[in-house]
Amino acid sequence: MSVALRNAQRAVPVRRAALRRAVCALRAALGAARFDLGLVCAGNALMQRLNGAYRQCPEPTDVLSFPFHQVAAGELPRPRCRDEYNLGDIFLGVEYIHQQCRETKEDFDGVLTVTAAHGLCHLLGYRHDTKAEWEQMYQKEAQILEELNRLTGSRLQPLTAGLF
């Protein structure tokens, strides 16, 4: 199925083809290749509005995920018809991520990919509200990034290491 990628910001150049390829590989590593996915690259203003509206936190952020299905962590949705083969939408705060990468001297494209992996895990029910949930999500992120690393020769690691 498809990954619909939209760049809704102009502040930071995004290598869309490379990001789409990485997200497709991550989706396949999750066993969800047959599901559609929306991916929006957003600026700080849009991320701030969305974060305020949906999380009551009116600040820009790195990623927001809006699942189409509500599933338990690690479960795949069980669509009843073709229109339900949809994981949901991920909004990547590329301007926010770029600012963080400039401060930490991290590779922007790598962090963007890892952040997309984090968003994908959220679409499949993974959370990090407790230490146990964080550990489960971290393991899943590490697993799918390891598969991406194997395919691409990269050395990406989950960013969630500092939550607990």
Side-chain angles (χ1 to χ4, degrees), residues 93-114:
V94 295
E95 188 175 359
Y96 181 90
I97 293 166
H98 188 260
Q99 290 167 342
Q100 296 296 314
C101 288
R102 282 190 7 230
E103 292 172 13
T104 62
K105 308 269 191 276
E106 292 180 272
D107 174 63
F108 170 71
D109 292 319
V111 172
L112 195 61
T113 298
V114 171

Side-chain angles (χ1 to χ4, degrees), residues 107-137:
D107 174 63
F108 170 71
D109 292 319
V111 172
L112 195 61
T113 298
V114 171
T115 306
H118 186 83
L120 269 167
C121 286
H122 276 309
L123 292 182
L124 291 177
Y126 290 93
R127 315 269 320 148
H128 46 75
D129 299 325
T130 67
K131 184 172 176 144
E133 288 175 338
W134 170 82
E135 288 172 354
Q136 182 183 34
M137 185 167 183

Side-chain angles (χ1 to χ4, degrees), residues 21-146:
R21 279 191 306 275
V23 168
C24 285
L26 291 165
R27 187 181 54 165
L30 284 164
R34 64 182 189 221
F35 290 89
D36 292 328
L37 169 70
L39 188 62
V40 178
C41 296
N44 282 344
L46 176 56
M47 292 303 284
Q48 181 173 342
R49 281 195 310 275
L50 291 171
N51 207 18
Y54 292 98
R55 296 182 63 234
Q56 291 70 51
C57 184
E59 300 172 359
T61 189
D62 57 351
V63 64
L64 293 169
S65 297
F66 298 95
F68 187 82
H69 301 273
Q70 297 300 317
V71 294
E75 287 186 11
L76 287 176
R78 296 185 185 156
R80 295 182 308 254
C81 64
R82 169 65 191 103
D83 290 342
E84 291 182 0
Y85 278 87
N86 185 350
L87 290 180
D89 297 310
I90 299 171
F91 285 74
L92 292 172
V94 295
E95 188 175 359
Y96 181 90
I97 293 166
H98 188 260
Q99 290 167 342
Q100 296 296 314
C101 288
R102 282 190 7 230
E103 292 172 13
T104 62
K105 308 269 191 276
E106 292 180 272
D107 174 63
F108 170 71
D109 292 319
V111 172
L112 195 61
T113 298
V114 171
T115 306
H118 186 83
L120 269 167
C121 286
H122 276 309
L123 292 182
L124 291 177
Y126 290 93
R127 315 269 320 148
H128 46 75
D129 299 325
T130 67
K131 184 172 176 144
E133 288 175 338
W134 170 82
E135 288 172 354
Q136 182 183 34
M137 185 167 183
Y138 184 87
Q139 290 299 331
K140 181 52 72 171
E141 285 182 39
Q143 176 191 343
I144 64 173
L145 288 169
E146 184 177 305

Side-chain angles (χ1 to χ4, degrees), residues 9-24:
Q9 57 83 47
R10 297 184 196 272
V12 179
V14 176
R15 296 177 49 221
R16 289 183 291 185
L19 180 59
R20 181 181 282 111
R21 279 191 306 275
V23 168
C24 285

